[in-house]
């Protein structure tokens, strides 16, 4: 009844008023359509940026379900990761500079894996020829895939940082977060103090990104939380398919404790800070090269 009254009221309006009402209705629908299209574009950019992680998850599932010839599962996973990394650089999905960043993350992640497995935080119970002190070498690619996502999303969505803190503040904070993953086994766990420092340091920082030619912005701290949460979801999928195993999952799989989100958020912060710092250093070096070329051109002209 209420809708019928509204329709009658609209039809009884003068032609000019009726035209305004129709235009407003169209604009509302048009806004929804544009928002939906932008959401699809954003999702597609994210999907392209997640190619490496998706391949890793698909490989974990397939190697868990299908019988494997010749080599143990962990060794096949390493081969798949190496081939995928080669193909991404070969096809142009990743640049050589991005490969260098990803390699750094592989080494950082592998060092953390070696320590955590030794301390009994988690384990890799299956056999493998490419295991080093109980850690399969493919595990480093899981950390490298996070760096791959950050690098590709940065490039595809033309990410820019607003009010980024100074270098002398960012680097010690990233180092302190990383070291706490080791030190808390012997001393106090200061992750929440570090999380508070992150909020203070990046409170005024924003990340600006582009989707379909339109710029959006998000508080940097919120982006850390969102990426960390989705990695926690990915961790549950990975442990379900036996990528690694926590002590409480020895007898049967169970959901990873929600407290692990804080660990992933901090690790994402370390990853983001390294990528951002390297991007800024490269940007300054490129700008310096352009200035030098212009100066040489001017001198030649004179």
């Amino acid at each position: 009844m209420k809708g019928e009254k509204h329709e009658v009221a609209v039809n009884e309006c003068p032609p000019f008023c009726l035209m305004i009402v129709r235009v407003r209705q169209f604009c509302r629908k048009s806004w929804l359509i544009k928002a939906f299209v932008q959401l699809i574009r954003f999702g597609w950019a994210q999907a392209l940026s997640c190619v490496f992680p998706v391949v890793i998850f698909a490989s974990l599932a397939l190697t868990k379900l299908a019988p494997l010839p010749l080599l143990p599962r962990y060794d096949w996973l390493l081969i798949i990761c190496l081939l995928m990394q080669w193909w991404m650089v070969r096809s142009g999905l990743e640049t050589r500079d991005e490969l260098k960043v990803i390699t750094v993350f592989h080494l950082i992640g592998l060092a953390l894996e070696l320590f955590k497995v030794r301390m009994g935080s988690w384990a890799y119970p299956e056999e493998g020829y490419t295991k080093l002190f109980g850690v399969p070498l493919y595990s480093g690619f899981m950390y490298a895939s996070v760096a791959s996502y950050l690098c590709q999303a940065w490039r595809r969505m033309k990410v820019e940082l607003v009010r980024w803190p100074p270098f002398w503040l960012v680097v010690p904070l990233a180092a302190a977060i990383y070291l706490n993953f080791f030190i808390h086994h012997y001393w106090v766990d200061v992750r929440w103090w570090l999380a508070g420092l992150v909020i203070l340091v990046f409170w005024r920082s924003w990340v600006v990104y582009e989707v379909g030619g339109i710029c959006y912005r998000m508080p940097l701290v919120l982006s850390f939380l969102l990426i960390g949460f989705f990695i926690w979801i990915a961790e549950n999928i990975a442990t379900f398919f036996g990528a690694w195993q926590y002590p409480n999952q020895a007898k049967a799989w169970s959901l990873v404790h929600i407290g692990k989100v804080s660990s992933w958020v901090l690790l994402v912060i370390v990853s983001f800070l390294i990528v951002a710092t390297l991007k800024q250093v490269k940007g300054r070096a490129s700008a310096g090269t352009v200035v030098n070329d212009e100066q040489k051109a001017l001198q030649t002209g004179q």
Side-chain angles (χ1 to χ4, degrees):
M1 295 294 292
K2 189 174 181 180
E4 291 177 3
K5 288 181 181 179
H6 177 71
E7 191 68 31
V8 170
V10 169
N11 292 330
E12 289 178 354
C13 288
F16 182 72
C17 294
L18 182 62
M19 183 180 69
I20 293 175
V21 171
R22 296 301 183 194
V23 168
R24 284 179 177 175
Q25 290 176 346
F26 174 77
C27 288
R28 287 172 189 166
K29 291 180 181 178
S30 177
W31 181 86
L32 288 173
I33 292 170
K34 287 179 181 177
F36 180 73
V37 170
Q38 286 296 90
L39 182 62
I40 295 297
R41 286 172 175 166
F42 177 80
W44 179 243
Q46 291 291 310
L48 290 175
S49 302
C50 288
V51 170
F52 204 164
V54 167
V55 168
I56 290 178
F57 285 125
S59 302
L60 287 169
L62 290 173
T63 56
K64 183 72 173 179
L65 301 173
L68 300 171
L70 302 175
L71 295 172
R73 181 182 179 223
Y74 289 161
D75 301 324
W76 277 114
L77 287 169
L78 176 62
I79 292 171
I80 291 169
C81 288
L82 287 169
L83 289 174
M84 183 61 190
Q85 185 65 81
W86 172 83
W87 178 79
M88 290 190 72
V89 176
R90 179 81 175 178
S91 64
L93 282 175
E94 284 180 354
T95 65
R96 292 187 180 275
D97 285 337
E98 289 171 349
L99 177 60
K100 294 173 186 176
V101 175
I102 291 166
T103 303
V104 170
F105 276 91
H106 187 109
L107 296 175
I108 288 173
L110 192 58
L112 186 61
E113 288 285 325
L114 289 167
F115 179 80
K116 289 292 187 178
V117 168
R118 180 175 174 273
M119 298 302 295
S121 298
W122 55 79
Y124 294 90
E126 298 180 30
E127 296 296 323
Y129 295 112
T130 55
K131 289 178 77 174
L132 181 65
F133 299 109
V135 178
L137 296 182
Y138 89 87
S139 63
F141 281 100
M142 292 187 287
Y143 295 85
S145 68
V146 176
S148 174
Y149 161 75
L150 289 174
C151 288
Q152 291 209 44
W154 202 293
R155 175 162 42 87
R156 292 179 190 280
M157 304 180 75
K158 300 178 181 177
V159 170
E160 293 183 7
L161 301 173
V162 178
R163 294 176 178 172
W164 181 254
F167 180 83
W168 61 266
L169 198 57
V170 168
V171 174
L173 180 58
I177 292 171
Y178 183 69
L179 288 174
N180 187 63
F181 286 109
F182 299 86
I183 296 172
H184 82 85
H185 286 278
Y186 306 102
W187 192 52
V188 181
D189 187 355
V190 294
R191 74 175 68 187
W192 298 113
W193 291 96
L194 291 170
L197 278 175
V198 167
I199 294 173
L200 287 174
V201 171
F202 295 100
W203 182 254
R204 300 178 64 203
S205 300
W206 294 78
V207 56
V208 178
Y209 57 96
E210 185 178 306
V211 179
I214 301 174
C215 287
Y216 301 89
R217 70 174 190 167
M218 178 189 297
L220 193 55
V221 173
L222 178 59
S223 70
F224 293 153
L225 291 172
L226 289 174
I227 297 172
F229 175 73
F230 283 111
I231 292 178
W232 174 77
I233 293 175
E235 181 183 33
N236 279 283
I237 298 171
T239 54
F240 179 79
F241 287 116
W244 65 90
Q245 189 181 83
Y246 287 106
N248 65 315
Q249 297 172 330
K251 294 182 179 180
W253 180 84
S254 60
L255 199 68
V256 177
H257 193 274
I258 190 68
K260 286 289 181 182
V261 173
S262 63
S263 298
W264 281 115
V265 169
L266 291 173
L267 197 60
V268 164
I269 291 169
V270 173
S271 307
F272 196 96
L273 297 188
I274 293 174
V275 172
T277 302
L278 291 176
K279 290 277 186 183
Q280 288 198 336
V281 169
K282 185 183 177 184
R284 289 169 187 168
S286 300
T289 303
V290 170
V291 170
N292 290 333
D293 291 342
E294 290 177 353
Q295 289 177 346
K296 289 179 181 177
L298 288 172
Q299 290 174 359
T300 305
Q302 291 175 354

